[in-house]
Amino acid sequence: MKLTVAVAAVLVTVAGCGSSSGATPGAPEQRTLTVLAAASLTESFGALEKTFEAEHAGVDVKISFQGSSALAQQIVNGAQADVFASADEVNMKKVTDAGLAAGTPEIFATNQLTIAMPPGNPKKITSLADLAKDGVIVVVCAPQVPCGSAAQKVEQAAGVTVRPKSEEQDVKAVLTKVSAGEADAGLVYLTDVNSAGGKVTGVDFPEAAKAINKYPIAVVKDAPQAELAKAFVELVRGEAGRAELTKVGFRIP
């Protein structure tokens, strides 16, 4: 009898230890999907992050929004990621040339520049040429960043030389300086002005058509979550992705 009671006590103890592990029977596996995306995709991919997590129980999507040049360099330097979405083909090529893309990148959207000004447009800017006038404080992206490279192309197309006060590492930094009143104007994407919620006003200019940015997306080679990465790319390129992208002004090729 004593032996029976002792054995029962041991079994209860073992069962108790097993239930204290923190795992809930039947709960989905917890996984993290790491996405590196161009800063101009902040609003669109932020919405798609929620959609993806709702459709994939136990998955936490972590998105790093930065300039495409910085993200590409991180991948080349060995940073672990599952998906890379660039604002241009040049920086995606850095990744593919290093053999770090799984398959061929796919173009999922296009974008173009516009001029952002503080509300009310105090300097009365109406054209790209106005950015070269004396007394106009302008900020742009650095040349290695897609929006900076596009800025150089439109200046060349218009025969205009802009002398910016600063060159920022991503387009959202340009937008922030304009909305804060630290600059009279900045060259940003059309989608950034649309997403700003009235914090800036925008003026389109014809030369912007000379520098259309194509946005490629790819699964990173040896992605820790390769299957989830493929599913995220499919979401971006699918109906839900197109809806979020066009909502802020991206065009779908």
Side-chain angles (χ1 to χ4, degrees):
M1 184 67 175
K2 290 181 179 179
L3 179 60
T4 302
V5 172
V7 170
V10 170
L11 291 175
V12 170
T13 301
V14 171
C17 291
S19 64
S20 66
S21 64
T24 302
E29 178 188 356
Q30 300 300 303
R31 294 173 291 173
T32 298
L33 179 71
T34 303
V35 178
L36 306 185
S40 50
L41 293 165
T42 298
E43 290 77 20
S44 301
F45 273 35
L48 292 176
E49 172 186 355
K50 296 176 182 177
T51 300
F52 194 83
E53 290 177 343
E55 294 177 352
H56 296 80
V59 174
D60 181 19
V61 180
K62 297 288 189 183
I63 307 181
S64 175
F65 294 108
Q66 297 180 50
S68 298
S69 56
L71 296 174
Q73 193 59 54
Q74 289 172 26
I75 295 172
V76 171
N77 288 347
Q80 276 204 334
D82 297 298
V83 176
F84 175 41
S86 174
D88 69 353
E89 295 175 286
V90 172
N91 284 291
M92 179 60 81
K93 190 173 185 296
K94 297 175 184 177
V95 173
T96 57
D97 284 353
L100 296 174
T104 303
E106 300 172 288
I107 304 298
F108 66 94
T110 65
N111 209 351
Q112 68 182 61
L113 295 179
T114 191
I115 304 170
M117 290 84 57
N121 188 9
K123 290 290 185 177
K124 308 303 179 187
I125 293 166
T126 61
S127 68
L128 189 66
D130 287 342
L131 302 187
K133 291 181 177 178
D134 292 338
V136 177
I137 299 173
V138 182
V139 290
V140 299
C141 292
Q144 70 272 18
V145 182
C147 56
S149 175
Q152 290 183 330
K153 290 177 183 177
V154 298
E155 287 178 43
Q156 291 170 2
V160 172
T161 301
V162 176
R163 294 175 175 80
K165 180 180 179 181
S166 67
E167 295 179 337
E168 306 300 323
Q169 293 305 306
D170 66 60
V171 72
K172 294 300 186 186
V174 174
L175 194 71
T176 296
K177 287 202 169 185
V178 175
S179 63
E182 296 178 26
D184 300 314
L187 284 172
V188 302
Y189 294 119
L190 175 65
T191 55
D192 295 297
V193 170
N194 292 342
S195 300
K199 293 179 180 179
V200 297
T201 186
V203 168
D204 295 334
F205 57 97
E207 295 86 358
K210 302 294 185 180
I212 301 296
N213 279 43
K214 297 179 180 179
Y215 284 57
I217 190 169
V219 174
V220 179
K221 184 179 179 181
D222 298 326
Q225 300 292 343
E227 291 306 314
L228 285 176
K230 293 175 184 177
F232 187 84
V233 171
E234 290 174 3
L235 175 68
V236 171
R237 300 188 70 245
E239 184 177 345
R242 291 194 296 270
E244 291 297 340
L245 290 161
T246 56
K247 186 183 297 183
V248 296
F250 284 102
R251 293 182 180 179
I252 308 302

